[in-house]
Amino acid sequence: MKEVKILIQSPELFEAVFNFRDIGGVQTKDGRTVRYRHLYRCGEISHATQHDLQLLDQLELKTILDYRDEEEAIVSPTPSIQGAEYIRISATFTSTLRMNPSLEQLHEQSDTLFTKENFLQAYRQLPFKNPAYRALMDRIVTKDVPLLQHCTAGKDRTGVGTALVYLLLGVDEETIVHEYLQTNAIIDLQQPEWYTHWAATFGHMDGFTYIAKANEECLRTSLQAILETYDSYDTYFFEEFGITKAMQQDVQSYYLK
């Protein structure tokens, strides 16, 4: 793969792409480090300015994975990025809760949407039999990178997807949770339009933080569900994605230094 020169470590470099970050630079349990310029995450890029698109072009992306539902993608379509294969596969096809309900749904179903258990149940379901994460793992294994994964906020569906990548690369759970929670610092720094509106309308509800911010209990629920279902993460990756130990070692050799 051609070495990409640009290195984006701050989401503030973008004008209208929220929660963007290179997930490289994280240390694994064996002391290696995830390489920069290979794997990225963010919220929707439908509002990207010309400046933002130029930055994305410089990343020389090969794959863009969009985890949003069809309705979300129709309302806010992902722009074409030269050289990148765009793949949209809903990550919430079986979840009891849409991770980004419309404002109409929020008004009509706020009593049922804003519940802790409802959101935790979605996190329990996300890691299993999920075609979106199968597509992610397929492209990680075949090295169709640089790869960008995104949803709407880049928080829940993308957060779990990123956690799975880190687990495959041998990053420990505490580091994974810490990275996941960086979304909250970014929200506090540059509140996106969706968050400002939701906070003004629904901020008084008890379950608001579960839908509006990254919540540690949610991600830990996903990780716990995996280990309750399988005896190890290695078994999980083999049973869910067909990734053998040898394949995992090959992946780690490529993405770690």
Side-chain angles (χ1 to χ4, degrees), residues 25-196:
V26 173
Q27 193 171 59
T28 62
K29 289 180 285 188
D30 65 7
R32 290 182 286 178
T33 304
V34 180
R35 293 182 184 275
Y36 286 115
R37 303 182 179 92
H38 287 61
L39 303 166
Y40 304 96
R41 58 173 294 176
C42 67
E44 64 182 9
I45 60 177
S46 57
H47 303 296
T49 64
Q50 190 60 40
H51 165 81
D52 296 339
L53 293 174
Q54 289 175 353
L55 281 180
L56 292 171
D57 280 338
Q58 291 180 64
L59 298 179
E60 298 184 351
L61 297 169
K62 290 184 68 176
T63 304
I64 297 176
L65 271 175
D66 181 353
Y67 299 139
R68 298 176 299 163
D69 300 329
E70 182 178 11
E71 180 182 342
E72 295 173 88
I74 290 174
V75 173
S76 300
T78 294
S80 176
I81 303 298
Q82 183 176 5
E85 178 188 11
Y86 171 69
I87 305 165
R88 189 196 63 78
I89 305 178
S90 174
T92 52
F93 70 109
T94 61
S95 293
T96 57
L97 173 68
R98 286 191 57 192
M99 308 307 279
N100 186 54
S102 66
L103 292 176
E104 181 179 354
Q105 287 176 307
L106 290 174
H107 282 289
E108 293 177 353
Q109 306 172 43
S110 58
D111 290 341
T112 56
L113 287 173
F114 285 108
T115 66
K116 172 181 176 180
E117 183 51 41
N118 207 19
F119 217 68
L120 290 177
Q121 180 60 23
Y123 266 84
R124 289 189 192 99
Q125 295 175 359
L126 281 171
F128 304 105
K129 304 291 188 293
N130 196 319
Y133 298 144
R134 287 176 184 166
L136 170 66
M137 289 299 156
D138 284 347
R139 280 146 187 85
I140 294 292
V141 168
T142 56
K143 307 178 182 66
D144 290 330
V145 295
L147 177 148
L148 170 65
Q149 54 178 318
H150 82 87
C151 49
T152 293
K155 174 176 70 74
D156 301 300
R157 293 164 287 188
T158 301
V160 172
T162 301
L164 296 182
V165 172
Y166 278 145
L167 287 174
L168 184 65
L169 297 179
V171 178
D172 70 88
E173 290 185 5
E174 295 308 311
T175 301
I176 292 171
V177 170
H178 176 77
E179 194 281 337
Y180 166 80
L181 292 174
Q182 293 307 302
T183 291
N184 293 338
I186 296 171
I187 288 176
D188 292 339
L189 182 67
Q190 47 173 188
Q191 290 187 355
E193 183 179 351
W194 62 262
Y195 181 85
T196 302

Side-chain angles (χ1 to χ4, degrees), residues 176-236:
I176 292 171
V177 170
H178 176 77
E179 194 281 337
Y180 166 80
L181 292 174
Q182 293 307 302
T183 291
N184 293 338
I186 296 171
I187 288 176
D188 292 339
L189 182 67
Q190 47 173 188
Q191 290 187 355
E193 183 179 351
W194 62 262
Y195 181 85
T196 302
H197 184 87
W198 287 10
T201 309
F202 306 104
H204 64 284
M205 297 183 176
D206 291 339
F208 175 72
T209 57
Y210 281 87
I211 196 168
K213 284 198 169 185
N215 188 288
E216 179 175 346
E217 185 179 4
C218 289
L219 185 61
R220 290 193 184 279
T221 294
S222 288
L223 300 177
Q224 182 182 357
I226 292 173
L227 294 179
E228 287 175 350
T229 304
Y230 298 105
D231 59 11
S232 68
Y233 289 124
D234 288 347
T235 302
Y236 166 76

